[in-house]
Amino acid sequence: MPACDKQTYDVLIIGAGLSGICSLYHLRKRFPQWRIGCIEAGSDVGGVWHWNRYPGCRIDTESLSYAFSFDKELLQEWSWPETFSTQADMHAYIKRVAEKHDLYDDIRFNTRIKSASWDDDERVWTFADENNNRYTTRFFVSCLGFLSAPTLPAIEGVHGFRGQAFHTSCWPANLDIGRDFAGKNIGVIGTGATGIQTITALSKETSIKSLTVFQRTANWSAPLRNTKIAREQMEAVRNGGYEGIFQTCANSLTGFLHTADPRKTLEVTPEERVAHWEKLYNEPGFGKWLGVFSDTYTNREANTLYSEFMADKIRSRVNDSEMAQSLIPKNHGFGTRRVPLESGYYEAFNKPNVHLVDLQKTPIAHIARSSVVLDNAEEYEVDVLIYATGFDAITGAFSAVHWRAKNGRPLVGFAGDGRQDNREPIWPDHRPSTFLGLMAPAMPNTFMVLGPHQPFGNATRSVEHAVSVISDVLAFCAEKDYEYVEPEQWAVDEWTQHVVECSKGALANEVDSWMTGVNNNVKGKTVRSVARYSGSAIEYRRRCEECKQQGYKGLQFA
Ligand code: NA7
């Protein structure tokens, strides 16, 4: 795409991760007469699979179930080397999709959007990038990603550290841990899914002098059990296996290959219970999170029993009992946060050069020029400091853009954010309101893929569905010659209320995590909100279809 000052589109997609390239492929195919473009902040396609290049980065959804189902030809060509792909393999696959369908030509890379404003007279959006290039479009599809705005810890001294320091999603290009970390003291802050993968990979690098893990909240984690995919196995998947895989995903509540056991935990004998848990523990993938008894995440007693089973597993894997105790979560039950799957995480702490600093006992006071200093003045010298401190999730990518939506309203905000005007943000206090998780009020002609209030689950399965729904709405607009679509307020209220209702009773909603909209490093994001739809993916698809069958009841067109 040539450099220019002003571009005009019928549909502009922002973000070229899984959502963006799926949108670009389908919309371009369905509306060949329209000008459709895509803007991406990074230098390549891939989204999270482009940015997250930290050592050990790997998907913990089965690759075979994560592939795009629409490109049957590529599925026949492609060989997944492992059950759970590395970042490099995931990225190679997404790049191949983009190359095969000539998507690169329609993507403008290295372009970060800073502002967006809706013109109610012209009924168009105008976006501006950091260099003040402008892009005007009738329809806008947000593919901004829900884990794309990295956050550094709000700890004093973060910017004064004189050694090498970076967030895991900004891993320096060409950094070779064997060469560049040899003989060095490495510190990692954060023990979420990213921290757990990074720490495990670094612990296996023998040339590192010391690895110090700063853990604020212990996370429940369980074995990934990755395996190579043999040639014959891959052949079998190509010869009919994919259909079964995608069908299993379609029938599952989350879009993953794993489905809960319909029995309740206390309905079965203790022996049967443990046998089921052991089986899941020894199998690959998310079964140990999602294949458990159906009441595990709503019944406190059931959850406690399962958590105890998992705590015993941790104790059996960590030699030092005090360290094991620190690694067992205290304030939340198993599976009430996103469960990271690991490949030797607990064994990492048996190595003499790996140290665990339990910040629950003593928090970090500040970061000094070459060390991390705790509240009790204990000091840990580090040469390299790695922030595995997560993301301003779900609403964060929206917060990074200055929005002037309908009537000049900002999109995201919170009391005390220093805004000059007093217009109420559409999502005050980072609390999203949406219609079907696809559209937001006062945001005409805007659609979101993997936005707030879409169901939790297998991302690619959700993306393909969302893109098909959006594509149908756009086809409806094209057919009726509508140039304006916005959700009606009652429909937004009803759906948002339904999302909140569905979340009730889930133990996960009593826990702070990115999934409940909490991030202490982001101003105003300290109160839990319901950011994801916890009704099932099946129910979600039914509701989207019902809306279509009712002539898009809840949407207002002009
Ligand atoms: P997460 O899961 O949000 O984890 C971030 C980690 O960083 C977590 O352990 C945090 O502790 C820790 N953290 C954050 N801020 C601080 C401060 N200020 N001090 C100490 N520790 C801190 O992000 P990930 O990148 O690991 O994973 C995000 C998702 O990406 C993951 O779920 C997958 O779906 C892919 P806390 O728990 O807040 O106490």
Side-chain angles (χ1 to χ4, degrees):
M1 194 181 287
C4 63
D5 292 324
K6 183 160 182 186
Q7 294 272 359
T8 307
Y9 300 93
D10 297 297
V11 182
L12 183 61
I13 297 158
I14 301 184
L18 285 172
S19 312
I21 68 163
C22 185
S23 302
L24 185 57
Y25 169 80
H26 283 285
L27 299 182
R28 228 177 47 171
K29 194 164 162 213
R30 187 143 180 200
F31 307 103
Q33 73 284 15
W34 284 3
R35 176 124 208 257
I36 300 175
C38 178
I39 289 179
E40 164 59 47
S43 59
D44 203 344
V45 297
V48 293
W49 299 111
H50 165 72
W51 292 104
N52 289 284
R53 289 158 184 262
Y54 58 84
C57 181
R58 176 184 291 284
I59 190 165
D60 38 22
T61 303
E62 289 78 0
S63 324
L64 296 169
S65 78
Y66 194 80
F68 283 122
S69 68
F70 65 79
D71 192 340
K72 304 275 182 285
E73 209 179 85
L74 184 56
L75 291 177
Q76 285 305 311
E77 252 170 54
W78 196 260
S79 288
W80 296 101
E82 296 174 82
T83 308
F84 302 97
S85 294
T86 59
Q87 173 272 334
D89 286 339
M90 275 318 310
H91 195 217
Y93 169 74
I94 300 168
K95 281 170 67 131
R96 179 71 194 114
V97 175
E99 272 160 16
K100 183 163 178 272
H101 299 289
D102 295 324
L103 302 182
Y104 277 100
D105 290 348
D106 288 333
I107 305 171
R108 190 181 173 105
F109 291 102
N110 302 307
T111 303
R112 191 173 283 280
I113 293 298
K114 294 308 285 179
S115 68
S117 62
W118 170 252
D119 180 332
D120 217 15
D121 297 325
E122 297 294 323
R123 291 180 168 160
V124 290
W125 280 102
T126 299
F127 292 86
D129 67 20
E130 284 169 324
N131 297 318
N132 220 22
N133 292 312
R134 285 169 188 273
Y135 313 88
T136 297
T137 184
R138 172 81 58 214
F139 297 106
F140 155 51
V141 182
S142 161
C143 295
L144 292 164
F146 63 97
L147 290 162
S148 54
T151 47
L152 291 178
I155 302 175
E156 195 192 314
V158 162
H159 299 291
F161 182 72
R162 288 289 166 263
Q164 197 178 13
F166 44 84
H167 190 276
T168 41
S169 72
C170 308
W171 197 266
N174 306 322
L175 191 150
D176 176 334
I177 56 170
R179 180 193 64 206
D180 300 324
F181 284 3
K184 292 200 172 151
N185 297 309
I186 315 292
V188 179
I189 300 183
T191 51
T194 303
I196 284 175
Q197 289 189 333
T198 308
I199 292 158
T200 309
L202 294 180
S203 75
K204 291 176 183 167
E205 182 49 63
T206 50
S207 66
I208 287 175
K209 187 172 170 198
S210 74
L211 175 63
T212 304
V213 176
F214 297 91
Q215 172 193 273
R216 187 167 67 179
T217 307
N219 257 312
W220 293 103
S221 188
L224 174 68
R225 304 208 189 281
N226 187 29
T227 49
K228 298 259 183 261
I229 299 181
R231 199 145 50 90
E232 311 76 63
Q233 193 189 346
M234 201 57 239
E235 276 306 315
V237 172
R238 287 200 199 98
N239 294 324
Y242 270 121
E243 282 78 6
I245 288 171
F246 294 134
Q247 196 50 52
T248 304
C249 293
N251 294 341
S252 103
L253 299 181
T254 52
F256 291 115
L257 289 172
H258 309 276
T259 304
D261 186 313
R263 295 173 297 169
K264 298 216 170 9
T265 309
L266 298 162
E267 270 171 20
V268 299
T269 63
E271 293 74 26
E272 271 180 286
R273 201 153 60 215
V274 172
H276 182 53
W277 291 339
E278 281 291 353
K279 177 175 165 293
L280 294 172
Y281 193 81
N282 289 305
E283 287 172 355
F286 276 142
K288 46 197 83 73
W289 183 21
L290 306 171
V292 286
F293 299 109
S294 58
D295 60 346
T296 309
Y297 305 118
T298 47
N299 177 328
R300 216 171 293 279
E301 192 182 346
N303 188 265
T304 303
L305 286 171
Y306 191 43
S307 301
E308 279 165 8
F309 169 85
M310 284 294 179
D312 279 344
K313 292 288 181 200
I314 298 174
R315 286 188 197 101
S316 73
R317 293 173 59 186
V318 180
N319 298 343
D320 179 320
S321 58
E322 198 185 329
M323 213 183 221
Q325 214 41 42
S326 284
L327 288 164
I328 296 170
K330 316 270 170 315
N331 301 324
H332 68 281
F334 185 90
T336 58
R337 289 173 137 204
R338 199 284 204 190
V339 175
L341 296 183
E342 45 81 30
S343 309
Y345 178 62
Y346 294 108
E347 286 73 14
F349 294 94
N350 295 334
K351 304 203 169 170
N353 66 334
V354 178
H355 313 292
L356 179 68
V357 180
D358 186 342
L359 303 178
Q360 295 278 325
K361 291 182 182 154
T362 320
I364 295 175
H366 65 276
I367 292 171
R369 291 165 72 87
S370 62
S371 62
V372 176
V373 184
L374 305 190
D375 264 1
N376 60 4
E378 226 172 281
E379 195 167 352
Y380 293 85
E381 289 289 333
V382 283
D383 304 301
V384 181
L385 197 44
I386 298 165
Y387 298 115
T389 43
F391 300 86
D392 181 354
I394 303 175
T395 55
F398 292 95
S399 310
V401 175
H402 181 260
W403 298 91
R404 288 178 59 81
K406 204 169 157 187
N407 302 322
R409 283 176 74 186
L411 177 62
V412 198
F414 65 99
D417 65 359
R419 272 179 296 110
Q420 293 305 303
D421 68 49
N422 54 10
R423 270 172 284 218
E424 172 81 341
I426 299 164
W427 295 342
D429 302 324
H430 301 269
R431 284 171 187 277
S433 54
T434 72
F435 179 53
L436 292 171
L438 292 166
M439 298 191 80
M443 292 281 286
N445 292 8
T446 299
F447 302 93
M448 300 177 290
V449 184
L450 294 185
H453 293 177
Q454 284 183 17
F456 159 77
N458 182 334
T460 317
R461 305 282 66 83
S462 303
V463 164
E464 285 190 340
H465 172 255
V467 171
S468 79
V469 176
I470 293 166
S471 169
D472 284 351
V473 178
L474 287 173
F476 185 75
C477 290
E479 187 198 320
K480 306 270 184 199
D481 222 6
Y482 291 140
E483 56 181 28
Y484 182 93
V485 52
E486 189 195 348
E488 298 194 52
Q489 193 58 50
W490 66 262
V492 169
D493 293 343
E494 223 172 79
W495 169 255
T496 303
Q497 187 53 34
H498 170 65
V499 172
V500 172
E501 283 301 319
C502 286
S503 73
K504 289 187 178 154
L507 298 172
N509 287 310
E510 299 172 7
V511 176
D512 287 351
S513 77
W514 66 261
M515 291 177 116
T516 49
V518 176
N519 184 330
N520 303 56
N521 302 314
V522 178
K523 261 194 188 157
K525 242 186 164 176
T526 48
V527 179
R528 283 177 216 143
S529 62
V530 183
R532 306 291 292 155
Y533 179 52
S534 43
S536 70
I538 297 171
E539 173 60 12
Y540 178 73
R541 289 197 300 269
R542 191 193 67 73
R543 283 177 178 256
C544 290
E545 183 57 25
E546 184 179 71
C547 169
K548 180 179 168 186
Q549 294 307 327
Q550 294 176 344
Y552 292 109
K553 189 172 160 204
L555 294 183
Q556 180 193 332
F557 296 90

